[in-house]
């Protein structure tokens, strides 16, 4: 793995360009509302209008999100990628970056696994 200044700068620029993509941000926002945004809306609306059950449900779910090892962020990303493919199927740039990163992760995992097997 190359950690030279130029390589790190290049990777950070690529990541920032990928993350600031408006289509991806829209899909991440929708996915966040599906996974946990609704609970904050429930809590706020329930507290403002005095609807106790809405406040309780929203606060209870939001409380569950703060437990350690809650997989909601992973679930949010998976839903966002699904929505990106569903809503913007012609967005080849973002999907290509995702595919490329997935392939790199698979290769890294394969190297890790083979390295671990040789140790045993």
């Amino acid at each position: 793995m190359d950690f030279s200044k130029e390589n790190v700068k290049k990777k950070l620029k690529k990541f920032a360009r990928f993350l600031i993509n408006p289509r991806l941000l829209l899909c991440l926002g929708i996915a966040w509302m599906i996974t946990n945004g609704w609970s904050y809306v429930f809590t706020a609306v329930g507290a403002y209008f005095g609807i106790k059950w809405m406040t309780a449900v929203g606060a209870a779910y939001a409380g569950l999100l703060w437990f350690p090892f809650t997989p909601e962020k992973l679930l949010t990303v998976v839903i966002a990628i699904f929505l990106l493919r569903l809503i913007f199927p012609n967005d080849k740039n973002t999907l290509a970056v995702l595919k490329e990163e997935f392939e790199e992760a698979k290769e890294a995992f394969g190297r890790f696994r083979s390295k671990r097997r040789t140790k045993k």
Side-chain angles (χ1 to χ4, degrees):
M1 208 173 210
D2 184 22
F3 288 110
S4 67
K5 188 175 182 180
E6 293 81 26
N7 192 28
V8 170
K9 198 178 207 182
K10 183 179 158 187
K11 285 278 191 186
L12 284 175
K13 188 183 262 189
K14 180 180 175 183
F15 181 71
R17 200 170 42 239
F18 169 72
L19 199 56
I20 297 174
N21 181 343
R23 294 178 182 128
L24 181 65
L25 288 176
L26 174 68
C27 291
L28 277 171
I30 294 170
W32 182 80
M33 283 302 291
I34 290 170
T35 56
N36 51 343
W38 65 269
S39 68
Y40 296 112
V41 172
F42 261 43
T43 304
V45 170
Y48 184 77
F49 290 111
I51 306 170
K52 294 181 191 233
W53 71 267
M54 191 180 276
T55 306
V57 168
Y61 186 79
L64 286 174
L65 293 174
W66 288 91
F67 276 126
F69 310 112
T70 306
E72 58 88 17
K73 287 177 184 43
L74 180 63
L75 188 60
T76 302
V77 170
V78 169
I79 292 172
I81 292 170
F82 171 75
L83 288 173
L84 185 67
R85 287 182 175 184
L86 185 70
I87 299 171
F88 303 109
N90 297 328
D91 185 13
K92 301 297 181 199
N93 293 337
T94 308
L95 294 173
V97 170
L98 284 171
K99 191 172 188 173
E100 179 183 317
E101 292 299 321
F102 180 68
E103 291 300 322
E104 284 182 24
K106 276 188 355 185
E107 288 174 14
F109 181 71
R111 286 191 304 268
F112 171 76
R113 216 162 96 186
S114 65
K115 189 177 178 182
R116 190 160 181 210
R117 282 184 182 161
T118 58
K119 277 186 177 181
K120 289 183 178 182

